[in-house]
Each structure stands twice: as C-alpha cells, then as structure tokens.
Amino acid sequence: MSTIERPKAGEVEKRQAPELSLDGRRIRGLIPYGVESRDLGGWREVIEPTALRGANIDDLVATVDHVGVPIGRFPTTLEVEDRADGLHWSVVPPESRADVREAIERGDLRAGSWRMVVGRDEWRGQVRHVHEIAELRDVSVVSHPAYESSTVELRSAPNEEDNLSDEATTTEERGEEQRSEATAAAESDETRREAAGSLRVEGRSGPRSVRGLAEEFRSRGFPGESASVSWDEYRTATFSGAIDVLYPVRREGVALGADKRYAYPAFPTVAVDAATTSVQVLRQSARTLPSAADVIRDIDQTTTKPEVATTTELVTVSLHQVAAVETGIPNVILAQPAIDSLIETDLRLALNAGLDKLVVDTFVASPNQQSGTDPLLVSIRKALTVLQAAGYAADTLILPPTEAEELDILQTDGPEAFYVFGAGRFAPGQLFGLNVRVSKSIVAPTVVDTAAYGKLYISPISLSRFEQDAGATNKSTVRLEGHAAFGVERQDAAVEILASS
C-alpha cells in the first residue's frame, strides 16, 4: 500500500501559481490566500490570510526557475505588498534578461513560484492549512503552476501614479494611442532612474486593502441593525491597521503581527461558525517519553521497542459570549466618522481584553514554580528549563505590566549601575529567545509553548445597534460581540511563576 508523504514544518518548500502574460516589462505575481492548491501528491494546501504576517523576507529575491543571478531583490528592485487576497510581488528584470520576457511571450515560462519555510501548519484530512510562514526565500518565474487561481503577468514599468494596488485596466479601454504614450513615458523615466544606479521603488497611492475595523463594519452596512466580519478580517483590521505594505513595518520594535499588549494573538486560532456553542478538544493529560539511550538500539535488536505512553481524552469546551456595549450614543453620531474612535478603541479594547482573559485564566492549572528568593530573571530561565526537559519548545513569555516594568528597569549591582536590557528596550522584545507579551489580565509571569498549549476558537465578530427608549430620545446602544473559548490541549506546555510566599 502506498503512503502519502506529507511535508513537515521547517523544511524548504516550493510552490507555483499561474499564469504569465506579456504586457511590457514589469512582472507581477501573487502568493494567494485562502485558495486550495492543485493536487500536490495526494494532498492539497491552503495558505491562510495571516500566514506571511511575521515572515522573514529580509533576503527575499526574484529568480528564474529558482536558480541563477537574481532579477530583483527586496526591498529595492523587488516590491511586495500584503493584501486581502495574498502577497503581491512586482519586479522589473534587468535589460540584460530579455530572454525572460521572450520566454513569457512564447509561453515557455507561464507561472509564478515561491520557496518558503513553514513555521506552523494544520492538517484537516488531506488538506494542509499553512498558518505561519517563517521565511520567504524567493519568488520566481517558472513553467508549471501548483495554484490555479492567481496570476503572474509581465507589465510595463508604471508612471508616477501607478503602484501595486492600482486596478487593472485593459489596453482596449485606454486606447492604443494612450498606451503607446504611457509606455514611452514610463520607459523614459525608467531609463533615467537606471542610469542613476537602481530601479525605482514604486509609491503606494492606490487603495489600501487592509482597512480599519470601523471601515470593515461600515462596508457591511453599519450603522444598520447588525454587521459582521469574519475572525480573520477582525484580526487583520485590528492588528495591521492601515499599514498594508510589508517593508515599512519591518523596523526595530515593530513586528508584523499582533498587539504585544495581549497574550492571545500568540496562540493558534480556529474560526468557528456563529451558531457553534461548543467544540471538541483532544486533550493530553499525561505523557511519558522513553530515555534517549533506550531509543538507540543495536541494528539487529529484537527485544520490545521503548514505548511512548500518552493519555488523551476528548473534552467538550463550551464557548462564551465575549461582548461589550456602549449606551446613550446620539443617533446622529452613528453616521459620523467620530464613531470610529468608539469602535476602534473602546469597544475593540474591551473585546480584546476578554479574549485575552479566556487564554490566561487557563494557566492556573499548569505546573508552577515558587520563585522563592530567585530574581524574576532567574525564575524565567528556570521555567524555560522545566519546559525544555518536558520536551516542549517554549517560545513565549507573558508578563503582567508590573513584572514587565521590573525587567525593563532592571539594573546591575555595584557602584556603577547599568540597565541590564538598556533602559526602555525590554518590552516588547525577546528574552532567552522568548517572544515577550504583556497582558493586564495575567496573574503571574508564564512561559509557554504556544504551538503545543492549545487553540482559541472564535466566531465571527458582530457590531449591532439597538434603538433606545423606543425611539423617543434618538439614542442607541452599540454592541461588539463574538463567541469564543480556549481549548487547552497540553496543560504542562506552560509554567506559571508564582510570587514568593
């Protein structure tokens, strides 16, 4: 019986997406989100919309068939933009690579491709859902596609008003004469810039794909009776804001991804239907691993092999309402831009705090250690040791605000005190290789393996308006609401550091 060989997170993997078309000099491609691939050998793949949010793209290049001298390099001659439908990339190959343009025109090269290192995935039957891409190594022009629903095209270099977000228009719509003039002007501008030593980086004057939360709800009919957005849309609007170009947010202190004031964005999330009231979670309550010495056996050994002992149970976890309301809002305000601050700030912060508490409240049942007389820094390192000894790969440290402050202003002993981390540089940051988050809901510092600990299950988020006083006062109540639960899968994948007794 043949077996299907599935890819594993951490390996370098290659994917393709069609089609190539000829329209001047610029090559544009797409890594699609939410689209199921072709059959990749008995299995298919879907890249989730947030998968590239934290990806390392510092060494990203554009190539032909993934080999040879690059035809572009990020962020100078290769441009990327994260949008709702996928990661768009754009490159103008050097004049010396006319063979690439000819191959596209002939149809020899007709697909876009990329190489990636997957950080976290999930299998649902024979469909692999990629939740995190740790590194994007290159994008390339190749022959055969693995994804059917995205395009790669070769286009002329844009003028000053063109950018990755512009709506595509056909040559027939613009007219042949306008096309010739625009192409000539663009190529002339490109020649001048190449003479200066590099290709130009396009501006971003087109419409943004990532909107604020208030805009997302308004586009769905708010302030009508009720409007809903999916969990992925809520998360994208909440944590990406209006910044939808990858490179500007890749600077020190600002990561691609979620607000460091909360713990829950560090954990995997599973979107559930609005009608879901409970979920089934496979929970591991005990695990025993054989010693490494017993696992290594003589090649001709015939005795019983060492056993991994595990105890699991299927647990039903009920979802909770996570909701906040604001009352007494004048109806005239609901149609004004001023309502944005209420939705973007007050109601959103209240909802996020509730989601955060769902997660951090589960830590109280995890193993803990008394800090005793150990400084907090030492206790954190010891907690990391406990998790490593148990076979977990701890990746996150969650701190209450007071403990974050303690570490931020920690000084050395002696006559000349120095800030251990440099004043003001600790949070958010990294400590012992752990990503640091600060949660006002957490009781004690906690070190956790977020990939192993559990998942947050959450429904679409709705924004609803209710008329007050039977319409007599022209005031309304606004409610932001969702349903959520946190399902713990391995309780011992977290260690809580208790205060001195």
Side-chain angles (χ1 to χ4, degrees):
M1 181 178 68
S2 63
T3 59
I4 297 172
E5 186 173 345
R6 293 180 170 183
K8 299 179 178 61
E11 299 175 340
V12 178
E13 304 176 40
K14 187 187 300 181
R15 298 291 182 272
Q16 294 83 37
E19 294 260 341
L20 284 177
S21 61
L22 185 63
D23 184 15
R25 301 180 60 207
R26 181 166 289 276
I27 301 172
R28 297 177 185 266
L30 172 68
I31 300 176
Y33 294 154
V35 175
E36 193 168 289
S37 72
R38 297 174 184 264
D39 190 314
L40 299 177
W43 57 277
R44 295 176 181 267
E45 181 179 76
V46 175
I47 298 178
E48 297 297 332
T50 57
L52 277 159
R53 182 174 290 166
N56 179 5
I57 59 173
D58 293 338
D59 294 322
L60 180 62
V61 295
T63 61
V64 178
D65 276 328
H66 300 285
V67 297
V69 177
I71 59 174
R73 179 176 290 276
F74 176 82
T76 53
T77 54
L78 169 63
E79 301 169 16
V80 294
E81 182 179 346
D82 202 12
R83 293 199 250 163
D85 60 339
L87 182 78
H88 290 249
W89 56 270
S90 172
V91 64
V92 175
E95 290 291 345
S96 60
R97 296 309 307 269
D99 60 319
V100 178
R101 294 194 292 274
E102 183 180 358
I104 295 172
E105 186 174 27
R106 286 159 46 97
D108 301 332
L109 296 175
R110 57 189 180 88
S113 176
W114 63 93
R115 289 194 305 159
M116 62 184 177
V117 178
V118 173
R120 180 168 60 86
D121 59 6
E122 174 190 5
W123 287 89
R124 302 174 191 172
Q126 297 303 317
V127 179
R128 182 200 197 192
H129 290 257
V130 176
H131 292 287
E132 291 180 7
I133 295 176
E135 181 181 359
L136 189 60
R137 296 199 170 183
D138 71 2
V139 291
S140 189
V141 182
V142 295
S143 303
H144 301 289
Y147 283 78
E148 296 181 348
S149 60
S150 63
T151 59
V152 176
E153 57 185 2
L154 187 60
R155 298 180 57 187
S156 60
N159 59 29
E160 292 296 335
E161 301 302 322
D162 188 24
N163 57 75
L164 281 172
S165 300
D166 284 346
E167 296 293 332
T169 56
T170 65
T171 300
E172 290 75 17
E173 290 172 337
R174 294 197 305 269
E176 189 63 32
E177 182 177 349
Q178 289 177 313
R179 178 185 180 280
S180 298
E181 293 176 356
T183 301
E187 291 179 350
S188 176
D189 180 66
E190 192 71 27
T191 300
R192 289 195 302 270
R193 293 182 182 274
E194 288 176 4
S198 67
L199 298 177
R200 73 182 179 89
V201 178
E202 299 177 8
R204 297 302 195 278
S205 58
R208 290 190 297 250
S209 62
V210 181
R211 300 183 289 188
L213 187 60
E215 287 183 81
E216 291 291 352
F217 281 120
R218 191 174 289 113
S219 70
R220 286 160 173 76
F222 186 83
E225 290 185 2
S226 184
S228 296
V229 298
S230 70
W231 167 242
D232 282 338
E233 290 169 320
Y234 174 87
R235 182 167 178 153
T236 300
T238 298
F239 297 130
S240 293
I243 300 175
D244 59 356
V245 182
L246 284 176
Y247 187 65
V249 296
R250 293 191 66 82
R251 58 183 184 269
E252 185 177 357
V254 181
L256 286 174
D259 197 324
K260 297 289 186 178
R261 292 174 295 176
Y262 303 103
Y264 81 84
F267 294 84
T269 59
V270 178
V272 298
D273 188 85
T276 300
T277 58
S278 63
V279 293
Q280 297 290 306
V281 177
L282 185 63
R283 181 170 299 169
Q284 184 185 79
S285 56
R287 180 182 69 182
T288 303
L289 300 177
S291 69
D294 290 338
V295 172
I296 301 172
R297 295 156 52 86
D298 292 338
I299 195 68
D300 58 350
Q301 189 76 28
T302 58
T303 58
T304 303
K305 297 178 177 64
E307 183 179 351
V308 174
T310 181
T311 302
T312 58
E313 55 182 337
L314 199 60
V315 179
T316 300
V317 179
S318 298
L319 268 69
H320 304 271
Q321 286 185 15
V322 183
V325 301
E326 184 151 340
T327 61
I329 302 173
N331 288 344
V332 69
I333 299 297
L334 293 177
Q336 306 298 319
I339 194 67
D340 289 8
S341 63
L342 167 66
I343 299 169
E344 298 280 7
T345 305
D346 302 339
L347 289 174
R348 176 175 60 83
L349 291 176
L351 192 77
N352 287 350
L355 295 174
D356 211 47
K357 187 168 176 59
L358 281 176
V359 177
V360 301
D361 279 357
T362 65
F363 294 145
V364 295
S366 293
N368 57 68
Q369 62 180 65
Q370 296 286 344
S371 63
T373 58
D374 288 332
L376 177 59
L377 193 61
V378 175
S379 296
I380 292 169
R381 186 61 187 86
K382 288 183 175 180
L384 178 58
T385 300
V386 170
L387 288 172
Q388 289 172 334
Y392 293 109
D395 57 5
T396 301
L397 167 65
I398 307 168
L399 297 168
T402 51
E403 276 74 3
E405 175 189 353
E406 178 182 337
L407 291 177
D408 202 20
I409 60 176
L410 182 64
Q411 292 182 308
T412 59
D413 293 329
E416 194 171 2
F418 296 95
Y419 288 106
V420 173
F421 299 102
R425 295 182 183 176
F426 169 69
Q430 284 203 339
L431 180 65
F432 302 126
L434 301 171
N435 295 312
V436 179
R437 294 183 176 274
V438 180
S439 168
K440 69 178 183 180
S441 301
I442 199 168
V443 175
T446 302
V447 180
V448 59
D449 179 344
T450 59
Y453 186 71
K455 297 183 180 70
L456 179 67
Y457 297 84
I458 188 162
S459 73
I461 305 297
S462 65
L463 184 69
S464 304
R465 167 184 174 265
F466 304 91
E467 188 82 20
Q468 286 183 214
D469 307 317
T473 58
N474 285 335
K475 293 187 296 185
S476 292
T477 295
V478 174
R479 180 187 70 200
L480 187 66
E481 179 182 33
H483 302 155
F486 191 82
V488 177
E489 297 176 0
R490 297 174 183 84
Q491 195 76 60
D492 60 347
V495 172
E496 192 178 40
I497 300 169
L498 302 183
S500 301
S501 56

